[in-house]
Amino acid sequence: MDLFSKSKDIGEDEYRRARHRMVEWQLAGRDVKDPAVLEVMRDIPRHVFVSPDLRHEAYDDCPLPIGYGQTISQPYIVGSMTESLEPAKGKDVLEIGTGSGYQTAVLAALFGHVDTVEYIPELSRQAQKILLQLGYANITFHIGDGLKIPDPRRKFEAIIVTAAPGTFPKSLADRLQPGGRMIIPVGATVQDLELVIKDLDGRLEFQTLYPVRFVPLQHED
Ligand code: SAH
């Protein structure tokens, strides 16, 4: 598979311009400020994570279908959620909901290591292909229920969940290091995006950011 050679494509220069406009208008033009997040999202070719017939919409201000009833998140949501985690190369992050792999790429460019879990094997395999072809070497892929794998005793400085549980899964909070941050949508059809910060004594602080609409988190039990 050559990611950059589809005849329907409008050309890499045009995609780059669309990507820069996306960052200026949809991210910086709203409230995403972290220069590293903005730079990474100016660089990463979002269009290779969607099917060829949707590539011309890859930089639009909306989510897009990626098959299996799932969606690639709106660019603003990716930038805003990533910024809220305070990414740094010295931190490891757990992502639940690999989906297209685009958010995974953004995380891999900003964090030391990414563990990403996807429930639907076909989506995980597709994302793995694209991310390997783009050269990322700091991602571990897992297939299954992100609430159960990887090893639930392992702890992370940051956790991002991109599918919505009906209620806050307390077991996930145990996987945050003291001082760690988690971003997660919680609720039924429309959810609240919750930023959960664990202080150095292990206490949790919840900040409700804004309403969002994610696909439901699948449960195995
Ligand atoms: N960040 C992704 C979002 C994909 S949609 C992107 O922008 O492309 C959410 C994804 O979460 C879907 O691919 C869905 O299959 C996956 N998912 C749902 N429940 C899950 C679970 N319990 N564990 C891991 N992945 C899950």
Side-chain angles (χ1 to χ4, degrees):
M1 176 176 62
D2 180 353
L3 298 176
F4 298 100
S5 72
K6 289 284 186 285
S7 57
K8 225 180 159 209
D9 281 357
I10 54 178
E12 289 307 310
D13 282 349
E14 192 53 43
Y15 282 129
R16 191 172 303 109
R17 279 193 288 276
R19 194 152 65 236
H20 280 238
R21 280 196 300 272
M22 171 192 88
V23 169
E24 295 327 310
W25 290 91
Q26 301 173 35
L27 282 87
R30 292 186 177 130
D31 56 359
V32 180
K33 301 275 178 262
D34 184 334
V37 173
L38 298 174
E39 188 186 330
V40 155
M41 290 185 66
R42 263 184 219 110
D43 279 353
I44 296 175
R46 182 174 158 93
H47 58 282
V48 304
F49 292 88
V50 301
S51 67
D53 57 317
L54 289 177
R55 283 187 176 174
H56 61 289
E57 295 178 53
Y59 299 100
D60 291 357
D61 195 13
C62 56
L64 292 172
I66 55 171
Y68 306 93
Q70 310 302 321
T71 53
I72 177 173
S73 300
Q74 180 188 3
Y76 169 74
I77 298 288
V78 174
S80 170
M81 287 176 81
T82 303
E83 177 177 56
S84 75
L85 294 173
E86 298 187 344
K89 286 287 182 194
K91 300 180 182 178
D92 289 348
V93 59
L94 169 66
E95 177 189 44
I96 298 182
T98 315
S100 66
Y102 173 67
Q103 170 82 73
T104 319
V106 172
L107 297 171
L110 293 164
F111 282 88
H113 189 86
V114 187
D115 276 86
T116 184
V117 192
E118 171 54 49
Y119 200 74
I120 300 174
E122 291 83 355
L123 283 177
S124 177
R125 281 189 214 112
Q126 173 72 11
Q128 290 183 41
K129 258 194 234 159
I130 297 170
L131 290 161
L132 290 177
Q133 212 162 327
L134 290 175
Y136 292 96
N138 60 339
I139 305 170
T140 306
F141 297 91
H142 307 266
I143 296 173
D145 179 357
L147 296 185
K148 303 205 169 131
I149 55 169
D151 182 351
R153 288 165 304 185
R154 220 174 119 200
K155 296 198 190 301
F156 297 86
E157 282 90 3
I159 299 177
I160 179 168
V161 186
T162 62
T167 55
F168 180 71
K170 291 200 185 66
S171 61
L172 256 191
D174 296 337
R175 304 170 81 173
L176 262 190
Q177 295 272 19
R181 299 165 82 88
M182 176 182 349
I183 188 81
I184 179 170
V186 180
T189 326
V190 176
Q191 304 102 27
D192 284 325
L193 189 61
E194 301 281 355
L195 175 62
V196 186
I197 302 173
K198 187 180 260 191
D199 72 14
L200 295 176
D201 298 319
R203 277 184 302 258
L204 298 179
E205 180 206 327
F206 286 78
Q207 294 176 19
T208 302
L209 301 188
Y210 48 83
V212 285
R213 197 183 281 260
F214 278 86
V215 295
L217 187 89
Q218 307 294 324
H219 291 274
E220 263 176 5
D221 42 30

